[in-house]
């Protein structure tokens, strides 16, 4: 049976990472503490040995509440189980220790950076991080290259729009776990539809009833669009113009506050009428509150993914690759998606969902079609120095 080590808050509580704790990277002391000068590694400087052939085990670190869960009675006691993971164990004979110790991208980076920078084991064979942090670790040489001969399901079933991110164009180091969208949510009990991010930030009846995300990538993606720049390719000057525009909205009193996932409570209660929001949250809210609506802004959608990575000095790389490939079986992927409610990255899972939960088959926030994603954008990859400066500047504007 999979060993489950749980700690921290839910995935829905720190969705995407890079919340206020990540923005704290803007403080000079923490910037120095998180410096990575001299910490880069290569496959030659940091050699890993795979013990998978003789050790049928795997240590997997993920975000809380980011896998399917069930309960059953064992000796009269309720026990939490992870059905797809337990089926993987039965199928492969690999024992999995499943840890929910990724509460925030920056926090997790701080946990493992000393070991990875020194080419030492972290005790983990897989961990799951959001695009920008995954890119950072790949650029530092801390992530092992995957053997695609062990990933036939991944190669066959990975959805087209996630195949070639700029930071890992051939998916040599990463496999998406789940994906998601950033757009607008509003409470129809308190306001009419809000069709664009610019409308959200200028409409007089929404003044003081709006929240934006404290995640720089998400919020600045839309600011760049509003000011006419391309979020996937922009200059320092364009970023500065977009940041000045955000400052104008802050100074106008339009924005009630910048939030992590806690906008959910305010939106349900009517403390805010509309907000920048993440797709997985909206689905979860709609189960209990049909007044909550999700809108594709006129500016487009933010698109992101969380990625499975095998760190240097992991002892069980081939076992990790088996797990990655297992979750790209469409039936397994559908079972997972039915519970977590984020975008499923696996072709064929939508058809498989017919037998699992037919109500989710046509949900565009789990299975978006090409038209739905036609205006989806990612935030440009940043080098370490630039990201730190941008985070500092953004943190100053939002008052964190």
């Amino acid at each position: 049976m999979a060993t489950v080590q749980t700690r921290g808050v839910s995935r829905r509580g720190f969705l995407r990472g890079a919340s206020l704790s990540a923005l704290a990277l803007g403080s000079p002391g923490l910037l120095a503490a998180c410096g990575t000068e001299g910490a880069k590694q290569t496959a030659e400087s940091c050699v890993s040995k795979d013990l998978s052939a003789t050790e049928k085990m795997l240590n997997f670190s993920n975000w809380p509440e980011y896998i399917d869960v069930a309960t059953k009675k064992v000796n009269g006691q309720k026990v939490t189980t992870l059905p797809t993971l337990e089926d993987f164990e039965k199928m492969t004979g690999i024992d999995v220790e499943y840890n929910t110790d990724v509460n925030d991208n920056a926090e997790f980076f701080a946990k493992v950076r000393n070991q990875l920078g020194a080419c030492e084991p972290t005790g983990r064979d897989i961990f799951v991080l959001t695009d920008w942090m995954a890119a950072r670790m790949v650029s530092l040489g801390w992530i092992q290259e995957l053997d695609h001969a062990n990933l036939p399901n991944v190669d066959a079933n990975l959805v087209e729009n996630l195949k070639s991110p700029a930071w890992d164009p051939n998916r040599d180091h990463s496999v998406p776990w789940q994906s998601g969208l950033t757009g607008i949510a509003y409470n129809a009990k308190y306001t009419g539809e809000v069709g664009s991010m610019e409308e959200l930030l200028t409409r007089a009846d929404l003044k003081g009833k709006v929240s934006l995300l404290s995640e720089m990538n998400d919020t600045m993606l839309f600011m760049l669009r509003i000011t006419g720049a391309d979020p996937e390719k922009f200059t320092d000057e364009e970023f500065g113009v977009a940041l000045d525009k955000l400052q104008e909205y802050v100074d106008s009193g339009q924005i009630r506050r910048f939030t992590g996932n806690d906008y959910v409570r305010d939106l349900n209660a009517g403390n805010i009428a509309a907000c920048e929001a993440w797709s997985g949250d909206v689905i979860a809210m709609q189960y209990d509150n049909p007044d909550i609506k999700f809108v594709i802004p006129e500016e487009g959608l933010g698109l992101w993914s969380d990625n499975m990575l095998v760190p240097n000095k992991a002892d069980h790389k081939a076992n990790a690759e088996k797990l990655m490939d297992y979750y790209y079986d469409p039936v397994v992927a559908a079972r997972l998606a039915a519970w977590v409610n984020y975008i499923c990255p696996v072709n064929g899972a939508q058809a498989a969902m017919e037998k699992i939960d037919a109500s989710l088959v046509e949900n565009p926030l789990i299975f978006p079609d090409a038209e739905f994603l036609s205006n989806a954008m990612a935030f440009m990859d940043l080098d370490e120095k630039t990201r730190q400066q941008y985070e500092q500047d953004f943190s100053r504007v939002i008052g964190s």
Side-chain angles (χ1 to χ4, degrees), residues 158-201:
L158 176 58
V159 296
E160 188 65 32
N161 67 290
L162 293 177
K163 282 186 176 180
S164 300
W167 54 273
D168 194 16
N170 298 313
R171 288 292 182 185
D172 290 328
H173 299 89
S174 63
V175 173
W177 174 250
Q178 298 289 286
S179 185
L181 299 165
T182 308
I184 294 172
Y186 70 95
N187 190 326
K189 184 177 179 180
Y190 299 101
T191 189
E193 181 172 331
V194 182
S196 71
M197 196 63 66
E198 188 168 17
E199 183 182 349
L200 181 76
L201 294 168

Side-chain angles (χ1 to χ4, degrees), residues 44-62:
E44 292 72 33
S45 68
C46 188
V47 178
S48 302
K49 184 178 181 181
D50 190 3
L51 304 178
S52 296
T54 56
E55 295 184 0
K56 297 298 182 183
M57 58 186 297
L58 179 65
N59 190 300
F60 183 8
S61 285
N62 203 350

Side-chain angles (χ1 to χ4, degrees), residues 94-114:
I94 296 170
D95 292 324
V96 181
E97 180 176 325
Y98 185 78
N99 301 284
T100 57
D101 58 346
V102 185
N103 292 322
D104 177 281
N105 284 294
E107 176 189 288
F108 189 79
F109 180 87
K111 287 181 184 179
V112 299
R113 70 178 187 88
N114 288 338

Side-chain angles (χ1 to χ4, degrees), residues 119-132:
C119 185
E120 295 174 353
T122 65
R124 301 167 175 89
D125 299 301
I126 290 185
F127 47 65
V128 176
L129 297 173
T130 308
D131 292 316
W132 67 271

Side-chain angles (χ1 to χ4, degrees), residues 2 9 69 108 154 165 181 220 224 243 275 302 308 341 361 364 376 380:
V9 298
V69 174
F108 189 79
V154 175
L181 299 165
M220 289 310 298
L224 287 158
L243 197 64
C275 62
M308 294 180 279
N341 292 158
V361 171
M380 184 176 78

Side-chain angles (χ1 to χ4, degrees), residues 227-267:
T227 55
D230 182 353
E232 297 182 325
K233 187 177 183 181
F234 58 87
T235 65
D236 287 344
E237 182 179 358
E238 288 172 325
F239 185 84
V241 170
L243 197 64
D244 288 344
K245 177 59 70 174
L246 179 61
Q247 184 72 67
E248 289 179 21
Y249 294 137
V250 171
D251 293 343
S252 74
Q254 184 78 6
I255 304 167
R256 181 183 179 94
R257 65 191 186 102
F258 291 84
T259 74
N261 168 261
D262 48 335
Y263 66 81
V264 168
R265 292 189 294 272
D266 280 342
L267 189 62

Side-chain angles (χ1 to χ4, degrees), residues 78-99:
K78 283 188 177 180
V79 176
T80 298
T81 65
L82 309 178
T84 58
L85 200 57
E86 292 189 0
D87 287 350
F88 170 77
E89 290 182 316
K90 294 172 185 176
M91 184 177 77
T92 63
I94 296 170
D95 292 324
V96 181
E97 180 176 325
Y98 185 78
N99 301 284

